[in-house]
Amino acid sequence: MKGFAMLRIGQTGWIEKEIPACGPMDAICKPIALAPCTSDVHTVWAGAIGDRHNMILGHEAVGEVVEVGSLVKDFHVGDKVLVSAITPDWNSLAAQEGYSMHSGGMLAGWKFSNFKDGVFGEYFHVNDADGNLALLPEGMDLGAACMISDMVPTGFHGAELADIQFGDNVAVIGIGPVGLMSVAAAAIRGAAEIYAVGSRTNCANLAREYGATDIINYRQGDIVEQIMEKTHGKGVDKIIVAGGNNDTFDQAIRMLKPGGIIGNVNYLGEGDYVKIPRVEWGCGMGHKAIRGGLMPGGRLRSEKLARLIVANRIHPEKLITHTFQGLEGVEPALMMMKDKPRDLIKPLVLL
Ligand code: NDP
Ligand code: ZN
């Protein structure tokens, strides 16, 4: 089969591979919708997870099941399925402890395009199919469905990590597709003010539509000053970090109230250390928590997020700004993700 792969750090290309084998609890799927991710860009061009050779990229897909293992109970050949980007081993001790994303080691629930070939091929392999697939709801827009792989669950995980409560004033730093879903999640959880930090116009417009009350442009001044001014010097209760760089925590600590929580889902792709400002962190005693997490993945989460779409409460299809046709489309879609033209939010590939 054909697949679009990371050949080595900084280099991508099309390769031929064997169709993956199906174990007793697994499924083999063919993609019907795919999307590249900023994480694919970090993986290839920043070498963020180390070198990988001839590894098929991609972890965001809607698929059709073409084979199931003998122990799979709930999925059958021909089923159209939502595929979680994070596919844990649900019988692991880590999953039983509540950290499915770290089953098999830190971040090891992230298997596609990390420990095994990803979804940008004619076929892809899903481990623990009953735990990691979900049926595509009848009539669901394929763009919205594809965003259930990663953008929706990751953005929502930011709101879970930050423990957004009703009435909280919240800053969402970064409003690419992940941060936009964090804005939607914060609104659903009952945030009061939502300060959305970004600079692209279409992202700012969508952030407002999803529930942001203020847009903070980091290119037009220090975001700490802007947010402290808007909150009359008090700062915010909760912060979701879904973009920025290694200095973003420094800014986040400065604008967070004592007792506040920072939920980070941003993938820190380079550098060795993250700076925390000592005095603003209460000399270590400020009760300002930083929680960073990979989203948990799995079927129940996909099914619940799909319900929010079916019930018309979230509209992730609005993230899709560019659409490509056919498997070949993953290459220009990924390059677009790398170059980030200003009118891009998220590209989609339909097969
Ligand atoms: P984008 O690049 O589309 O968005 C990044 C956002 O951050 C943009 O709004 C951008 O603004 C903003 N930004 C950039 N620099 C700064 C800065 N210095 N200060 C403040 N804001 C800034 O990324 P995605 O939404 O696709 O992904 C966000 C992150 O989430 C990535 O690191 C990705 O790898 C990660 N991720 C994590 C996952 C997880 O499970 N934890 C899963 C999937 C993704 P502008 O408007 O100027 O572009
Ligand atoms: Zn992704």
Side-chain angles (χ1 to χ4, degrees):
M1 68 169 196
K2 191 166 85 160
F4 188 67
M6 170 171 179
L7 305 180
R8 59 188 64 82
I9 290 176
Q11 207 183 338
T12 55
W14 290 94
I15 59 171
E16 284 288 331
K17 281 211 167 171
E18 291 296 314
I19 295 174
C22 189
M25 293 171 72
D26 308 342
I28 304 298
C29 298
K30 64 177 186 186
I32 54 181
L34 294 167
C37 181
T38 305
S39 302
D40 293 307
V41 175
H42 291 308
T43 299
V44 178
W45 286 281
I49 52 173
D51 213 350
R52 297 286 189 278
H53 295 278
N54 302 330
M55 177 188 72
I56 296 178
L57 288 163
H59 52 261
E60 301 183 13
V62 181
E64 182 179 324
V65 176
V66 298
E67 187 181 352
V68 287
S70 57
L71 299 178
V72 174
K73 294 193 285 289
D74 297 337
F75 296 92
H76 306 95
V77 171
D79 283 347
K80 301 228 164 96
V81 286
L82 305 167
V83 184
S84 180
I86 305 300
T87 54
D89 298 316
W90 288 99
N91 58 5
S92 64
L93 295 182
Q96 290 181 34
E97 277 183 313
Y99 293 95
S100 54
M101 66 297 268
H102 303 302
S103 62
M106 189 163 65
L107 307 181
W110 170 23
K111 299 186 193 309
F112 288 130
S113 64
N114 184 7
F115 293 115
K116 69 172 186 185
D117 284 322
V119 298
F120 291 172
E122 289 177 273
Y123 300 94
F124 59 86
H125 168 270
V126 181
N127 60 292
D128 210 342
D130 281 323
N132 288 318
L133 295 175
L135 285 177
L136 173 69
E138 193 79 29
M140 181 175 282
D141 176 273
L142 283 178
C146 200
M147 297 302 101
I148 295 178
S149 288
D150 193 0
M151 297 299 94
V152 187
T154 295
F156 273 60
H157 195 44
E160 291 170 319
L161 289 168
D163 192 23
I164 309 285
Q165 302 289 327
F166 63 81
D168 279 345
N169 284 342
V170 176
V172 179
I173 305 181
I175 46 169
V178 173
L180 283 166
M181 292 322 305
S182 294
V183 170
I188 282 184
R189 282 196 154 209
E193 305 289 336
I194 301 178
Y195 303 100
V197 180
S199 79
R200 280 176 273 166
T201 311
N202 57 354
C203 292
N205 291 340
L206 196 50
R208 281 194 196 280
E209 209 177 307
Y210 283 173
T213 51
D214 295 81
I215 305 298
I216 308 292
N217 189 328
Y218 68 95
R219 293 177 197 255
Q220 290 174 357
D222 181 45
I223 63 172
V224 182
E225 276 172 26
Q226 294 185 65
I227 289 179
M228 291 312 276
E229 193 184 316
K230 283 193 184 279
T231 57
H232 309 289
K234 292 199 178 77
V236 290
D237 300 294
K238 306 285 169 59
I239 299 178
I240 302 172
V241 179
N245 53 37
N246 291 4
D247 291 333
T248 302
F249 290 109
D250 180 300
Q251 296 172 309
I253 290 286
R254 290 175 199 275
M255 63 170 92
L256 186 68
K257 284 183 188 169
I261 304 173
I262 299 170
N264 178 73
V265 288
N266 193 28
Y267 176 0
L268 301 177
E270 42 203 34
D272 291 324
Y273 296 97
V274 169
K275 263 193 314 190
I276 305 296
R278 182 182 62 82
V279 172
E280 289 78 4
W281 202 38
C283 304
M285 300 175 285
H287 289 103
K288 296 188 180 188
I290 301 176
R291 297 184 186 158
L294 179 70
M295 65 94 163
R299 170 177 175 178
L300 181 65
R301 192 172 178 84
S302 296
E303 288 181 354
K304 286 200 166 187
L305 294 170
R307 278 184 217 161
L308 286 175
I309 297 175
V310 172
N312 237 344
R313 293 201 189 276
I314 56 169
H315 301 96
E317 68 283 356
K318 292 187 179 176
L319 300 173
I320 310 297
T321 49
H322 297 74
T323 304
F324 296 84
Q325 300 291 334
L327 183 60
E328 298 70 26
V330 297
E331 184 171 9
L334 180 65
M335 295 309 158
M336 185 170 242
M337 214 58 192
K338 172 174 177 262
D339 298 338
K340 293 259 156 85
R342 295 201 49 88
D343 64 343
L344 173 76
I345 302 182
K346 188 85 179 175
L348 179 73
V349 182
L350 294 173
L351 290 98

